[in-house]
Amino acid sequence: MFRIMPTVLVLGILIGGIVSAAQAQDAPKRKIVQISGDLYRFQNNFHYSVFLVTSEGVIATDPINADAARWLKTEIADRFGKRIRYVIYSHDHADHIAGGEVFAVDGAIVVAHEKAKRTIIGENRPTVVPQITFKKRMTLELGGKTVELSYLGKNHSDNMIVMRFPEERTLFAVDFIPVKSVAFKDFPDSYLPEWIESLARVERMDFDILAPGHGALGTKADVTAFREYMTDLTDQVRAQARMGKSLEETKAAVDLSKYSDWGQFEAWSPLNIEGAYQRIQLNRRGN
Ligand SMILES: [Zn+2]
């Protein structure tokens, strides 16, 4: 009798855990928060985008996925009584830009970098192919409001753009400027050292608020801090590689402890070292 009790209790706890995890999956965390003026931030679980409300309609950005986009479209219609006129993709990765058809079906025009269009078609991304593309810079105007789109070089992908809302003094930048966090894993689909150059270009832009694609809002100081982290990481890894050190020796020697209070430090900083080491070795071999 007494032996059975704990088992039943443990089972109860396990089943309870499974149910609440399933419920959490059924009900994604979705939220709209005002950033500044008519610029808002849209959250879908761990992904974020922004949208600008104007008298002529709404400029939306990454749709995130079809369900999220359907929710956002309804919320925008209910809260603001406006139609989505433009959708701007930050880069080609499906976890940010799936579901563009939800906006396009109502006539929204989809905008992205020209290389993003190529990849969206080539990799058959689950979204709408952009109708308007650009190479370096583009300014979109709607209802007397403006968003400036800029390509700043290769970083987390080869087709990443940033979106500057000058009146709201805000920059929307996805996946290549984590705020108070180390970089994602081992730099998949990424370009080093070009990434650091594009961060320096962001620092020269005129804005105060940084709206990232993941995590909390930041400021320009977070861009500088992350550029310094990336420089520190790659300088240290390069020095080890030049001395002919192995990956394991490099991992043991590189000291990133001054960033230990940043998000994902324990899990991802060893992978950051690994990714940087592999890319630096490839560059050294002239590839
Ligand atoms: Zn990405």
Side-chain angles (χ1 to χ4, degrees):
M1 190 63 199
F2 288 106
R3 294 176 63 100
I4 291 167
M5 279 290 285
T7 315
V8 172
L9 269 176
V10 166
L11 264 178
I13 291 162
L14 275 176
I15 290 164
I18 290 160
V19 169
S20 60
Q23 279 166 344
Q25 258 182 0
D26 288 342
K29 188 174 182 194
R30 289 180 181 146
K31 221 159 83 175
I32 291 171
V33 174
Q34 185 182 34
I35 297 175
S36 169
D38 295 313
L39 185 66
Y40 295 83
R41 196 171 193 221
F42 163 48
Q43 176 184 9
N44 184 74
N45 293 330
F46 299 108
H47 288 73
Y48 295 81
S49 66
V50 301
F51 64 89
L52 182 69
V53 180
T54 84
S55 58
E56 301 286 318
V58 169
I59 299 176
T61 61
D62 293 345
I64 304 176
N65 64 52
D67 283 344
R70 271 189 286 272
W71 182 88
L72 181 62
K73 186 163 83 170
T74 307
E75 288 290 317
I76 286 175
D78 289 352
R79 292 185 193 206
F80 307 100
K82 304 280 184 204
R83 217 157 57 83
I84 296 166
R85 300 285 303 276
Y86 290 100
V87 180
I88 311 163
Y89 296 158
S90 59
H91 64 307
D92 72 278
H93 292 162
D95 66 316
H96 290 273
I97 62 154
E101 67 280 2
V102 173
F103 302 138
V105 74
D106 297 332
I109 295 165
V110 182
V111 183
H113 190 261
E114 60 176 21
K115 282 193 232 159
K117 178 177 179 174
R118 207 165 55 198
T119 309
I120 287 163
I121 295 169
E123 305 280 328
N124 201 17
R125 297 280 191 253
T127 196
V128 157
V129 173
Q131 291 110 316
I132 297 179
T133 61
F134 68 99
K135 207 178 174 120
K136 278 264 170 209
R137 268 174 75 100
M138 180 178 164
T139 301
L140 256 181
E141 284 176 21
L142 185 69
K145 302 217 171 147
T146 305
V147 53
E148 290 172 10
L149 317 181
S150 303
Y151 174 72
L152 304 175
K154 297 175 180 179
N155 42 57
H156 160 90
S157 83
D158 71 353
N159 57 68
M160 179 70 69
I161 61 167
V162 296
M163 308 177 205
R164 190 174 82 93
F165 298 86
E167 267 183 68
E168 295 75 16
R169 301 202 53 76
T170 300
L171 189 83
F172 177 48
V174 176
D175 283 353
F176 79 106
I177 320 177
V179 172
K180 295 174 185 71
S181 166
V182 301
F184 180 68
K185 298 187 178 175
D186 62 348
F187 299 109
D189 195 21
S190 300
Y191 300 84
L192 289 171
E194 293 96 325
W195 188 325
I196 296 168
E197 291 158 23
S198 70
L199 291 168
R201 290 185 190 112
V202 172
E203 287 175 276
R204 292 196 287 272
M205 295 178 83
D206 186 21
F207 71 94
D208 297 322
I209 303 166
L210 175 70
H214 300 275
L217 290 177
T219 65
K220 194 183 275 186
D222 292 306
V223 184
T224 303
F226 187 68
R227 197 241 317 137
E228 286 168 358
Y229 169 76
M230 291 289 279
T231 306
D232 200 357
L233 166 73
T234 50
D235 283 355
Q236 288 193 54
V237 171
R238 193 177 299 109
Q240 295 297 317
R242 277 187 183 146
M243 290 189 286
K245 296 292 169 72
S246 70
L247 172 60
E248 285 316 308
E249 289 167 327
T250 301
K251 273 177 150 172
V254 170
D255 179 10
L256 297 172
S257 57
K258 68 171 155 174
Y259 310 97
S260 61
D261 60 337
W262 281 16
Q264 303 294 342
F265 180 81
E266 299 290 335
W268 291 350
S269 68
L271 294 172
N272 285 184
I273 296 170
E274 212 168 303
Y277 183 86
Q278 279 152 1
R279 270 165 186 75
I280 284 162
Q281 291 293 41
L282 276 177
N283 292 345
R284 278 160 57 82
R285 288 188 208 114
N287 285 315

